[in-house]
Amino acid sequence: MAQYARGSAVAVIRLRNPPVNALSRAVLQALEDGLKKADADPSVKAVMICGENGKFSAGADIRGFSAPKRLGGALGPVVSLIESSEKPVVAAIEGVALGGGLEVALGCHYRIAHVKARMGLPEVTLGLLPGAEGTQRLPRLIGVPAALDMITTGKHIPATEALKLGLVDEIVEENTIEAAIRLANKVIGQPLGPRRLSLKPVPKVPNMEAFLDEALAKVKRQARGCLAPELCFQAVRAATQSPFADGVRRERELFQVLLSSGQAQALQYAFFAERAVRRWATPGGASWSSAAPQPVRRAAVIGLGTMGRGIVTSLVKANIPLVALEQDLENLNKGRKAVMFLLEREAMKMEGGAQVLDFHNPARLQFTVDFDLLRDVDLVIEAVFENMALKKEIFHKLSKICKPGALLCTNTSALNIDEIASATNRPQQVIGTHFFSPAHVMRLLEIIYGRHTSPTAIATAMQLATALKKVGVVVGNCFGFVGNRMMFPYVQQAVFLLEEGSRPDAVDQALEDFGFKIGPFRMSDLAGLDVGWRSRKDQGLTGPSLPAGTPARQRRGQRYSPLPDLLCEHGRFGQKTGKGWYLYEKAGGRTATPDPWLLNFLSQYRDTHGIQTRFIDQEEILERCLFSLINEGFAILAEGIASGPEHLDVIYINGYGWPKHRGGPMFYASTVGLPRVLAKLQKYSEAHPDVPGLQPSAFLKKLAAVGNPPLKEWMSYLSQQSSKL
Ligand code: CAA
Ligand code: NAI
């Protein structure tokens, strides 16, 4: 609702719809009623619009987009009504003014903001564009380059930047409402024409067409198949080409195109999925609603390799004092240098920089090789080599040294949390915190509870994720957890496709065209082929422990491809050695080019093993890689390793570069239709009966058999025990 009140000459309209004053139909109606009341009351000389509870408005009610009588064009006319008011209207922006919320403020004649407020037009992130005339007003106010940047990226900008851009007229450090009323009183009687943005011309940019062409190329490059950024661009371009009313018409047309696109639904699903995973629960009955986190005043990170460096950086950025520990001075110095380099770079991006991060202060960041310094920390994150014996040794030591309440976390990417916990005297405080590389950049934190992990430990890890500005997703313990477990069959299929006749660049291209940031072979070259090789040797799948006489392309009765092992045996570890699935300009180089050596090697390999080369089209590449990954997802859900499909989707979007506009693998499966996914898996598993990853999971079969229910109902089809999650 919006509350109307009149004090002296200024009427106050307060948007009220907790928690973020979203502009529901009821709020819009009340806003319109308030404006009409103020207009009709001769004693009212000006109007001030603000939001309840220190927030202006987070925009249209996102849930309303899928409602049968959706909000759609309802907001634009209200914004026009505000602008056409004959009495000055001032927006008092506190907290957030986002999307439709900012569009309301753009309809006002004056905008005043609290210094801590944030503003933005994030519709693009929901697969939409600002559909209440925002694409036409904003460029008129702050110019085309700045407006394009805000509208096509959806970024939130702080009030200080908004002031510099001219988006707000004034910022205040306190009492925004009083300041807005003062401003409203001051401007009573002043001409409103120059304050009506729809009447202003769009400021000229030298060489506008060339500028726009370049901007469009950039938008397309970054969108990677997502429609909304390009349509946002087109709406702003219309503002540069047509009068306001025509621009608004174009904006509406483009909005309708996006609204009915599957991408908008996927992105809105992703928005709510990210919020849903905060409400974690375990099959044992622990949940977010009853578990309380314990404070983390001081932390420690063990191992300053690829992951430890990023984790330290992340903790420093979150203002958590910490100790960083290495095994010897040589590695410590190497790690310290790398951490300092990352922190200097981060500091350069921040206002206040190194001073705010304060990482030269040993009280905040201490480097050591001495385990004794971990005595009083509240939480330790172990990031040493992926080796069970080493991890157990470290956890045993930690449980002796650390204070009783300290939480012991491991960054293992696949190992058994229970086995690691068994080396301690406090398995209830052992938990997996699986960061993704680079750890100071990637948003995902996969949080893995073991058999004995306490609810407090889970709540503390979730709180850590929030403090690090990451998305924490709580999952159960199994080899590879959720993310990597689903990745195994995907990568396996990619390699099988090479055996059968495809090429690394063809497979990568198909998946990158689908929207992945990076295909599986480019990814493997980036991460290093030796990592998986070591793990396969540890598992006895290759190397000296492999029993003599093991067939080259079979392990434990299943199809196996030795191709990645063979590449490693040829010293091809990926980017770090300058060659892997691709060739690079030098060791450590980043420009991948198809390597004739590899293509020749593949063809010899096929000859050796009597494999007939065939052409594999894009459809088969996508189906075999994606459907096998999705199939594993259904198995994970059936086993109760994750509480729901949203968890898998949030993991894939934030940790594995899955295109967000496709909503995550499980949402994607729901859009393809489960019967179709099932039929394709059946077809491929008949052709490859020795590949278990292609055999449809029982849960997928069940869902297809009960008539392909909507994703939100899937979990209700599981047995009682799993659906308790
Ligand atoms: N509509 C409906 N619900 C919303 C909402 C919106 N616009 N914005 C937030 N919420 C809900 C969230 O789902 C969440 O609900 P639950 O507690 O039930 O999970 C609750 O409000 C609080 O949100 P957050 O947990 O995200 O709180 P936060 O403090 O971390 O972030 C925020 C607050 C920055 C406003 C963030 O919620 C956000 O970015 N919201 C979306 C803003 C947005 O995209 N607005 C554009 C809408 S589209 C539009 O306006 C279109 C148009 O022109 C036609
Ligand atoms: P890394 O090899 O780059 O670094 C490991 C570091 O641990 C080295 O600096 C080493 O000196 C140090 N170390 C070894 N023994 C130690 C000891 N006893 N005490 C203190 N330090 C010791 O390894 P990386 O890649 O950082 O991996 C670390 C962990 O993170 C592994 O468990 C790995 O599986 C996991 N992981 C790795 C990811 C990646 O992309 N590299 C992604 C997610 C998880």
Side-chain angles (χ1 to χ4, degrees), residues 234-315:
Q234 286 179 21
V236 175
R237 174 171 254 174
T240 69
Q241 293 170 331
S242 324
F244 186 81
D246 293 345
V248 166
R249 258 192 298 281
R250 182 76 183 126
E251 179 192 273
R252 284 202 187 128
E253 281 165 21
L254 294 167
F255 184 82
Q256 286 307 323
V257 173
L258 288 175
L259 191 63
S260 54
S261 77
Q263 293 194 0
Q265 281 153 27
L267 286 160
Q268 286 155 34
Y269 160 82
F271 176 86
F272 288 115
E274 200 172 287
R275 279 145 189 87
V277 301
R278 294 180 197 155
R279 299 185 195 100
W280 59 270
T282 71
S287 86
W288 67 282
S289 59
S290 53
Q294 61 190 37
V296 177
R297 296 191 189 91
R298 196 168 166 76
V301 175
I302 305 182
L304 299 178
T306 311
M307 295 307 290
R309 295 163 190 185
I311 298 171
V312 169
T313 305
S314 213
L315 288 163

Side-chain angles (χ1 to χ4, degrees), residues 450-685:
R451 192 176 309 138
H452 303 288
T453 307
S454 70
T456 306
I458 302 176
T460 307
M462 276 301 266
Q463 182 180 258
L464 178 72
T466 310
L468 302 182
K469 296 201 167 70
K470 296 195 186 292
V471 203
V473 185
V474 175
V475 302
N477 183 24
C478 62
F479 188 74
F481 319 127
V482 166
N484 284 344
R485 178 169 158 184
M486 288 168 74
M487 185 66 11
F488 297 141
Y490 164 90
V491 172
Q492 192 185 47
Q493 285 304 313
V495 176
F496 289 165
L497 288 164
L498 292 196
E499 286 192 329
E500 292 165 35
S502 197
R503 300 162 43 128
D505 52 321
V507 175
D508 281 345
Q509 197 59 53
L511 289 152
E512 286 163 18
D513 287 349
F514 176 79
F516 270 98
K517 285 199 178 114
I518 181 167
F521 293 109
R522 260 187 266 274
M523 169 58 87
S524 161
D525 273 359
L526 178 69
L529 273 77
D530 51 323
V531 179
W533 192 35
R534 218 174 302 132
S535 161
R536 289 191 297 279
K537 280 196 267 190
D538 286 349
Q539 293 173 61
L541 293 168
T542 189
S545 60
L546 192 67
T550 308
R553 297 180 55 235
Q554 219 184 53
R555 297 289 183 276
R556 299 163 195 160
Q558 296 170 10
R559 178 169 169 188
Y560 177 86
S561 174
L563 275 174
D565 302 332
L566 293 172
L567 258 62
C568 288
E569 284 166 24
H570 279 87
R572 300 180 71 103
F573 291 173
Q575 287 189 5
K576 60 177 91 163
T577 54
K579 52 196 175 177
W581 298 107
Y582 293 92
L583 189 63
Y584 297 84
E585 66 278 24
K586 56 174 192 261
R590 287 167 172 236
T591 317
T593 42
D595 187 353
W597 179 91
L598 186 93
L599 301 181
N600 186 37
F601 177 76
L602 285 175
S603 119
Q604 280 177 12
Y605 173 90
R606 292 182 199 116
D607 289 347
T608 308
H609 296 286
I611 306 168
Q612 211 168 9
T613 306
R614 64 186 179 90
F615 171 74
I616 301 173
D617 63 14
Q618 194 161 11
E619 185 179 326
E620 179 172 348
I621 295 174
L622 287 180
E623 288 174 350
R624 280 182 56 188
C625 292
L626 300 180
F627 291 176
S628 57
L629 178 152
I630 287 165
N631 194 35
E632 195 65 37
F634 281 109
I636 283 171
L637 291 177
E639 287 170 30
I641 296 290
S643 313
E646 296 86 353
H647 290 60
L648 278 46
D649 287 336
V650 171
I651 286 175
Y652 262 79
I653 289 171
N654 293 288
Y656 293 85
W658 179 281
K660 199 171 184 178
H661 61 272
R662 294 192 190 264
M666 307 318 279
F667 181 86
Y668 174 67
S670 76
T671 62
V672 172
L674 302 191
R676 185 176 156 82
V677 175
L678 175 62
K680 291 289 181 174
L681 280 167
Q682 270 160 345
K683 177 183 121 180
Y684 292 123
S685 81

